[in-house]
Amino acid sequence: MKTNKHIIYQTFPRLFGNYGENPVKNGSIEENGCGKFNSYTAKALESIRELGVTHIWYTGIIAHSTCTDYTAYGIPKDHHAIVKGNAGSPYAVRDYYDVDPDLAENVPNRMNEFKALVKRTHDAGMKVIIDFVPNHVARSYRSLMKPAYVDDLGQHDRTELAFSAVNNFYYIPGHSLELHFGAQEEDFEYSEFPAKVTGNDCFSATPGRNDWYETIKLNYGVDYLNGGTKYFSPTPGTWHKMLDILLFWAGNDIDGFRCDMAEMVPVEFWSWAIPRVKSRKNVMFIAEVYNPGLYRTFIETGKFDYLYDKAGMYDTLRKIICREAPCTDITACWQAIEPVKEHMLFFIENHDEQRIASDFFAGNAQAGIPGLALIALLDVNPVMIYNGQELGEKGMDDEGFSGMDGRTSIFDYWSMKSVRDWADSGRFDGGKLDDEQRRLRESYKTILTPAKNEKALSHGRFYGLAYCNRDNPAFPSEQMSAFLRKYENELILVFINFDSKTHHFRANIPENAFDVLNIPDNIASKARDLISGEETICALTHACPYRESLPACSVKILKISY
């Protein structure tokens, strides 16, 4: 797969444009405020693009359950017992054909405001990704904005049957849903009879606090309680309904979908649906898949463009950053995904994971720079960062439902101080950032920009130098990573120091590297560091180790002319 390097910026609109300085725990939208579509001004988008970003993933766009009352606009109110937090989970979708009213300045005009955001993003030279949540919906799901020709999910279900190939949901006949926890602010209990199966495959009428109790699972024709028998012929109605939703959003100028918990949906659906969508518009499909044993299946059979690599690269880098594993583990990590590596999406932060700077991870944003360099420079596959990551956001707020867990809440109305200081009341000039934050953001820019623009990094071949330096006493292989990237007549040598101290080292470059990459041995030429801009004269040969020095938690990207 030869393509331009994708640099994806995940951003959460509810938080991004919220400049309130003193949010309160469990605050309402009136108390804490909320970001809007219009918060992404041309200036804001230009500042994001400056990082090297090619795609923006706007998280939480589709209408979801919430405790905020929009009945004045004809939107039914959700019961608090089936909403997580006051704002609600963006993955408890209430209407697949609508956008979240929280994000609109003018609620009746919300879809037009979103369309204007898509246009501004495109005008700024970036593409738009949104979530597609295929496995489950809010317990309160009812589409008000669907086209007239579309039957609603569950509209014709036979609710007396636990499973039917023609049903959109799974049921627990004869049982009411029982929730023994959660908010009960209304003067009546939430009622659901018969109980529907909960989104995380909880086939019980009494889901627990740690279940996805705010959601119900969609039925794609798999009878899970009877051996997982598949009823895919005739094509299940749920498949057609979900395809229509994908085509609706693709028709609204979306460039890609990040598909939530894609592995909880039969791969046969994706194999059927994705080519049909792509026949109308060539949109990108990214799958959230955590089981490495399913990687090839979801790429080759499921037709996905890219998959999360959480179980591989993320978990490995987190251990290395936290000094729980050596850098030599990286080799096994990329070798494990060798057959599908161009399809893997690398990241070290997203909305599900703890912030690098949090007390639960590294406690220091600078410690994430080597990890960023590794995922951005290692290969041609896409890389993603999460808004605030480039500013050292700590995620150490006790927002409410989320609690102080090192993550940025997706359930609460809140404001991120780091993003607020960068936005500087909408000026997006970083005016309130401290010097350390400015340096950090500049580091992200100087790593991501060449990752996208330098052909050797965005399209080139890879040659790892770990194995030939594992037994080299002059190279700290447990704390450092080194590799070569080559494209046509461009050669780049990368050194990454994960350690908290400076290293002076000598790295072996084997004769095989010169042969495999078809570069001349004994190069004596100029080398420009793409991070600092400094130029030096280098000698590159297998006969003599390459001498270099690298400060703590830093990277050197040497572009060598020959």
Side-chain angles (χ1 to χ4, degrees), residues 175-191:
H175 294 271
S176 294
L177 181 73
E178 295 183 34
L179 299 175
H180 303 295
F181 52 86
Q184 294 289 341
E185 295 183 17
E186 290 85 355
D187 54 10
F188 60 93
E189 290 190 4
Y190 175 74
S191 175

Side-chain angles (χ1 to χ4, degrees), residues 300-336:
E300 295 172 3
T301 303
K303 310 300 182 184
F304 275 95
D305 297 293
Y306 302 106
L307 312 181
Y308 268 39
D309 192 24
K310 195 272 183 189
M313 189 59 75
Y314 173 85
D315 285 349
T316 299
L317 284 177
R318 176 166 179 144
K319 290 178 181 177
I320 292 170
I321 291 168
C322 293
R323 312 288 191 264
E324 296 170 0
C327 285
T328 49
D329 284 3
I330 293 169
T331 299
C333 185
W334 66 255
Q335 286 177 337

